[in-house]
Amino acid sequence: MTDQTTATMEREGRANALGNPMLTPVGVRAQPGAARTRGSLGPVQRILLGALLPAIVLGAWWLSTSTGFFAPHQLPSPVAVVQAGVDYAERGLLGTYIAISTQRVLIGFIAGAVLGLAVGALVGLSKLGDAFLSPMLGGVRAVPSLAWVPLLLLWMGIGEEPKVVLIAIGAFFPVYTTVATALRHVDRDLVEAGRAFGYRGVALFFTVQLPAVVPSVAAGLRLALAQAWLFLVAAELLASSMGLGYVLSDSQTTGRVDRIILAIVLLALLGKLSDTVFGLAERWAVRRWA
Amino acid sequence: MTDVSAALGALASTAHPVRFSGLGRSFGRPVLRDVDLEVAAGEVLAIVGASGCGKSTLLRIAAGLDAPTTGTATIDGTAVDGVDPRCAFGFQQPRLLPWRSIAANVSLGLPRGTAAAAGRKRVARLLELVGLADAAQLRPREVSGGMAQRASLARALARNPGVLLLDEPFGALDALTRLKMQDLLLDVHAAAPTTVLLVTHDVDEALQLADRVVLLGREPGAEGSTVVREIVVPGERPRDRGDARLAELRGELLEGLGVERHAH
């Protein structure tokens, strides 16, 4: 079995698990022989097939607008959307908006992820920490993201802080949950083997437990990054003067559908790009540590 | 396998005597009771018993992975308190860290504070000893079960143990690999005579490897296992696997385990 099929199987195993709050325990491997049953596609065929549906959608969009099926104020043509982007770019706004949104996502993601790792480790490793923290965090987790917005605005004003904090909240929970669950399910036999050879406490954590959960943590971080983009829009929709979420809310009041579609496409591209980059890192982590 | 004494020459350590006195362990109900057992330095002691008789528990207590409810376990006169650096443990499953190479897994057994260069040298020597020099950079999932178990043994030996604790170390291997591993263990023991406590359910293995075999079991009307029989195995190692005296002892031990003689 090649490394690639192993990685694919691992991913599939995790995709199932992520639909479920309980993640796949570390050490549980997908059954061999499952990867090839979906038919084999070369990398080029794969890319072509993946590009087919966006191409069809783009074609249909272009046709429906150029034939006058939709009026420009309902659905502007792809060309008009590109022009809206060029217009923003010429005024120097496109780069600024993308940069500020990306910056908010990255800062919030990093803050939330670091906190999620720390709290997740505490809950996953210590029964005391688990009993003390899990019920509260479970409650906080159930709060819909938008519910935080008014509170954060009142407390922190309309600067960068409330947005970054909201994104950090969004990024925190996937990391916290995956880390805590994965640590709880680290193969006890391996932990005991580590103990038998004199490892305990911090040394045991870095020698056995942390490496054992690296693949799950990578998956949690990837999920957190996606969640960070989600929360970015929630933050920017309500109180901002810059960023892609601002473009959305501003264009809604001015009725600029072309700009709305531009913002949506940019969010899709940025989200997909960051996810792809992270996916590569995750694949490496799975290959290296699983 | 290369010249064992040369490979282990620099590894040999002092063998320690082990003693269990009045030892009992209960998990809700008693599993072990009144275990009194002395193991001489350098002796190979096999512990046999039916499943669930507490033989693994006894071994884990010696390692400091578990603690007795009553009584004490001592190594070289000092009580075992927590994981003991003088012991090394070989598990039934290899329990290798899947993300580390075979060599890196063996180095996990090195005593804390071993200098990096000396550690590397020793790991290389041990891998040579167990015939894994060519597999040093492979991951555990890339080697066979027998190779993984040899790596596990090398990891235990890396600790330079005064007491080597083996919990059914060859139980999961196929018959031929098991015989080879038994010979390897004898070679290792001959070169570096550490004290060995070997838990096994294989009576033949016990008679082949051990100086002495103790049978753990329940006495009638009592809860919890204790030493019910003790057999000093005659003859020098390596023993002829077909020796008639061993055959007699084998029948005796199997009877002690509740297997009728005629069945064998």
Side-chain angles (χ1 to χ4, degrees):
Chain A
M1 186 169 28
T2 64
D3 273 335
Q4 207 167 2
T5 46
T6 315
T8 314
M9 282 156 40
E10 298 267 355
R11 257 202 319 281
E12 282 166 0
R14 208 156 23 245
N16 293 336
L18 287 179
N20 181 319
M22 295 297 286
L23 276 133
T24 314
V26 174
V28 173
R29 308 288 298 268
Q31 289 302 307
R36 287 277 153 193
T37 52
R38 295 197 301 168
S40 15
L41 285 175
V44 178
Q45 289 165 298
R46 235 193 148 85
I47 291 170
L48 284 178
L49 194 61
L52 190 58
L53 190 57
I56 291 172
V57 170
L58 192 67
W61 177 14
W62 181 78
L63 263 179
S64 65
T65 50
S66 64
T67 55
F69 186 76
F70 286 116
H73 72 270
Q74 288 173 312
L75 181 65
S77 72
V79 180
V81 171
V82 171
Q83 267 165 0
V86 170
D87 172 49
Y88 265 138
E90 277 169 352
R91 287 190 283 146
L93 290 175
L94 189 69
T96 315
Y97 286 177
I98 290 177
I100 190 75
S101 287
T102 308
Q103 178 189 308
R104 285 167 182 158
V105 162
L106 286 182
I107 296 176
F109 166 70
I110 290 168
V114 168
L115 214 65
L117 276 169
V119 179
L122 196 66
V123 169
L125 290 174
S126 144
K127 285 197 175 94
L128 211 66
D130 187 13
F132 181 62
L133 291 168
S134 307
M136 177 76 185
L137 286 170
V140 175
R141 188 187 178 197
V143 178
S145 57
L146 288 176
W148 295 109
V149 172
L151 197 61
L152 292 175
L153 290 181
L154 279 176
W155 283 350
M156 299 178 175
I158 51 164
E160 287 302 294
E161 294 92 340
K163 299 176 187 66
V164 170
V165 168
L166 187 71
I167 293 165
I169 292 174
F172 170 83
F173 282 103
V175 179
Y176 155 72
T177 317
T178 43
V179 171
T181 312
L183 281 174
R184 256 184 234 134
H185 288 102
V186 172
D187 187 343
R188 276 163 211 272
D189 284 354
L190 289 185
V191 176
E192 190 184 63
R195 281 180 56 217
F197 288 100
Y199 287 85
R200 40 195 194 104
V202 178
L204 185 66
F205 178 71
F206 282 108
T207 308
V208 179
Q209 283 142 326
L210 186 63
V213 301
V214 163
S216 312
V217 171
L221 287 173
R222 193 176 170 188
L223 202 64
L225 190 61
Q227 189 102 318
W229 283 104
L230 225 74
F231 277 56
L232 167 85
V233 176
E236 287 185 341
L237 265 180
L238 294 172
S240 62
S241 52
M242 278 192 290
L244 295 171
Y246 164 73
V247 172
L248 287 172
S249 67
D250 185 57
S251 305
Q252 187 200 354
T253 37
T254 54
R256 291 289 300 263
V257 182
D258 54 344
R259 287 183 180 171
I260 292 179
I261 293 178
L262 175 73
I264 289 173
V265 170
L266 284 175
L267 282 168
L269 289 176
L270 286 171
K272 179 66 187 159
L273 181 71
S274 65
D275 187 61
T276 304
V277 171
F278 219 98
L280 291 175
E282 185 195 350
R283 225 162 86 180
W284 174 84
V286 167
R287 209 175 305 170
R288 169 70 185 79
W289 299 96
Chain B
M1 321 268 142
T2 52
D3 184 6
V4 177
S5 345
L8 273 177
L11 302 174
S13 73
T14 3
H16 294 301
V18 181
R19 181 189 194 131
F20 302 101
S21 31
L23 186 133
R25 178 70 172 108
S26 57
F27 300 100
R29 54 180 193 84
V31 172
L32 291 170
R33 62 168 188 87
D34 305 327
V35 176
D36 286 296
L37 190 58
E38 252 182 274
V39 193
E43 185 181 4
V44 179
L45 177 84
I47 303 167
V48 298
S51 296
C53 74
K55 49 192 194 300
S56 293
T57 305
L58 190 65
L59 212 60
R60 291 165 47 81
I61 288 173
L65 287 169
D66 194 8
T69 317
T70 57
T72 54
T74 58
I75 293 175
D76 198 19
T78 52
V80 175
D81 181 23
V83 174
D84 199 293
R86 295 168 294 185
C87 295
F89 209 106
F91 301 95
Q92 181 175 11
Q93 301 300 330
R95 300 198 190 181
L96 301 174
L97 302 179
W99 54 88
R100 285 193 175 203
S101 68
I102 294 294
N105 263 293
V106 172
S107 70
L108 192 82
L110 292 169
R112 215 47 39 77
T114 307
R120 265 199 304 280
K121 220 164 153 185
R122 181 140 149 193
V123 168
R125 210 181 283 161
L126 282 165
L127 286 173
E128 191 123 332
L129 172 69
V130 298
L132 286 177
D134 293 336
Q137 293 318 313
L138 296 180
R139 296 290 196 82
R141 64 162 175 262
E142 296 170 315
V143 304
S144 70
M147 289 163 88
Q149 199 53 275
R150 275 184 272 158
S152 168
L153 182 63
R155 177 179 62 183
L157 293 171
R159 222 165 175 216
N160 209 2
V163 181
L164 181 58
L165 304 163
L166 300 173
D167 188 1
E168 301 193 21
F170 316 134
L173 301 177
D174 66 84
L176 191 61
T177 312
R178 189 183 315 163
L179 294 184
K180 285 184 184 162
M181 289 290 291
Q182 289 170 358
D183 288 343
L184 172 63
L185 180 64
L186 288 183
D187 288 348
V188 166
H189 185 261
T194 175
T195 311
V196 179
L197 270 66
L198 170 76
V199 160
T200 179
H201 56 245
D202 181 345
V203 168
D204 290 316
E205 180 171 279
L207 292 170
Q208 181 63 23
L209 298 179
D211 297 306
R212 196 156 50 112
V213 180
V214 296
L215 179 66
L216 284 189
R218 275 186 198 97
E219 283 171 342
E223 259 199 302
S225 306
T226 188
V227 178
V228 291
R229 192 175 307 200
E230 205 177 315
I231 291 171
V232 176
V233 187
E236 288 292 305
R237 284 186 302 254
R239 300 191 178 98
D240 177 5
R241 293 188 207 268
D243 191 323
R245 286 177 301 175
L246 295 189
E248 178 55 30
L249 290 174
R250 178 170 177 266
E252 216 178 302
L253 279 169
L254 285 172
E255 209 171 356
L257 287 166
V259 182
E260 298 279 337
R261 262 176 199 244
H262 62 77
H264 292 263

